[in-house]
């Protein structure tokens, strides 16, 4: 069994059914596909990558694990490939920022039917949540994950479905997540402290209203 980072393991933990059809956008080394196929979480995986060399490396790793026949590996942008067919159980989008993730979902071809999304943003998770609020899509789970190799670096996992039932009520929940806030977990406090230090360094010279609001909300939560 291949070893996964905390970020990739968190994605696998959110795949709660077996024998799924999965899309992995930004597949890189295809570790998500390999692990999901090895554990029977997936019966077939579409791996999508917009860079040729990482995709070739991923194909090599699939071949080494004798799993290539259970995948389709696509060089392309996001969810715009006509090679994707039928209903998809899980769509994983990871390894990029919240703005890029949101654009990928917005530009998804209409014939691609996805039941559940699991996205992990390097930054700007509030952009994803604002989009979900606008669409009224339901959030199933959220998680803040600290990097295994870079202290004070965080990833934001959001699992959601394109059906009505969004529970985001206000800006605080857009920035930090309704489920994260309810959990009252220590990782949220750690993230907020680090985030405040980051924005404090330039808040005095910026007139960006979003950053000012975020800073005020962090103060309210921490105090």
């Amino acid at each position: 069994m291949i070893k996964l980072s905390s970020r990739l393991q968190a994605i696998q933990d959110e795949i709660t059914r077996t024998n799924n059809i999965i899309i992995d956008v930004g597949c890189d080394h295809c570790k998500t596909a390999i692990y999901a196929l090895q554990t029977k979480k997936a019966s077939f995986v579409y791996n999508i990558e917009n860079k040729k060399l990482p995709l070739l490396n991923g194909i090599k790793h699939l071949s080494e694990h004798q799993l290539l026949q259970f995948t389709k590996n696509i060089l392309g942008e996001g969810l715009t490939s006509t090679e994707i067919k039928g209903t998809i159980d899980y769509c994983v989008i990871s390894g990029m920022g919240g703005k890029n993730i949101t654009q990928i979902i917005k530009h998804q071809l209409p014939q691609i039917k996805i039941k559940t999304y699991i996205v992990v943003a390097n930054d700007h998770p509030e952009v994803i949540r604002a989009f979900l609020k606008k669409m009224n899509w339901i959030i199933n789970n959220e998680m803040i994950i600290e990097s295994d190799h870079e202290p004070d670096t965080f990833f934001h996992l959001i699992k959601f479905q394109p059906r009505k039932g969004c529970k985001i009520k206000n800006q605080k929940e857009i920035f930090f997540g309704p489920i994260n806030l309810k959990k009252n977990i220590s990782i949220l406090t750690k993230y907020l402290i680090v985030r405040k230090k980051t924005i404090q360094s330039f808040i005095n010279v910026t007139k960006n209203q979003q950053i000012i609001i975020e800073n005020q909300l962090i103060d309210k939560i921490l105090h």
Side-chain angles (χ1 to χ4, degrees):
M1 194 71 63
I2 62 168
K3 183 175 176 57
L4 300 179
S5 66
S6 297
R7 175 174 62 90
L8 292 182
Q9 186 60 59
I11 291 169
Q12 294 290 336
D13 292 344
E14 294 300 322
I15 301 173
T16 56
R17 302 185 296 272
T18 57
N19 297 315
N20 297 287
I21 307 297
I22 295 175
I23 295 177
D24 183 16
V25 179
C27 61
D28 199 20
H29 294 93
C30 292
K31 286 187 176 181
T32 294
I34 292 168
Y35 189 93
L37 289 165
Q38 287 178 334
T39 57
K40 309 301 182 185
K41 287 176 179 280
S43 58
F44 190 87
V45 181
Y46 291 94
N47 293 304
I48 302 173
E49 177 60 57
N50 65 359
K51 298 180 182 65
K52 188 174 182 179
L53 185 57
L55 184 65
L56 291 174
N57 286 334
I59 291 170
K60 178 184 175 184
H61 294 148
L62 288 163
S63 296
E64 290 170 351
H65 287 86
Q66 299 180 327
L67 294 171
L68 188 59
Q69 67 270 33
F70 303 109
T71 66
K72 181 176 283 290
N73 302 284
I74 301 167
L75 182 65
E77 294 288 342
L79 296 167
T80 60
S81 174
T82 56
E83 295 183 70
I84 302 170
K85 306 294 183 183
T87 299
I88 307 300
D89 296 296
Y90 291 94
C91 175
V92 175
I93 311 176
S94 184
M96 61 192 80
K99 293 178 181 178
N100 285 340
I101 289 171
T102 304
Q103 287 303 309
I104 286 170
I105 297 167
K106 284 182 177 179
H107 292 98
Q108 172 185 325
L109 290 180
Q111 64 263 33
I112 300 175
K113 306 300 181 185
I114 295 171
K115 293 181 180 178
T116 303
Y117 295 80
I118 304 171
V119 305
V120 184
N122 301 342
D123 59 27
H124 293 298
E126 75 279 2
V127 176
I128 300 171
R129 294 193 194 99
F131 170 73
L132 297 179
K133 187 176 188 299
K134 180 180 178 181
M135 299 298 292
N136 195 24
W137 288 0
I138 190 166
I139 297 177
N140 305 106
N141 197 18
E142 295 179 305
M143 192 181 306
I144 299 171
I145 307 156
E146 189 166 9
S147 170
D148 295 329
H149 308 296
E150 299 178 59
D152 295 343
T153 298
F154 300 89
F155 306 105
H156 305 267
L157 183 150
I158 307 173
K159 180 180 181 181
F160 59 91
Q161 294 177 308
R163 59 186 179 89
K164 304 302 181 184
C166 186
K167 302 300 182 184
I168 296 174
K169 302 181 185 70
N170 50 48
Q171 283 188 305
K172 183 170 72 171
E173 293 185 350
I174 287 175
F175 274 110
F176 310 118
I179 296 175
N180 286 333
L181 290 165
K182 286 178 183 176
K183 287 178 181 177
N184 194 25
I185 44 179
S186 58
I187 189 71
L188 174 60
T189 301
K190 185 174 184 180
Y191 165 71
L192 292 176
I193 291 170
V194 172
R195 178 64 182 160
K196 183 168 179 63
K197 287 180 181 177
T198 301
I199 62 179
Q200 200 69 47
S201 61
F202 56 87
I203 197 168
N204 293 328
V205 295
T206 182
K207 297 186 184 298
N208 187 308
Q209 194 63 26
Q210 287 291 95
I211 291 176
I212 293 170
I213 291 170
E214 182 181 4
N215 186 61
Q216 292 170 345
L217 290 170
I218 291 173
D219 284 341
K220 288 181 180 179
I221 296 169
L222 291 178
H223 299 98

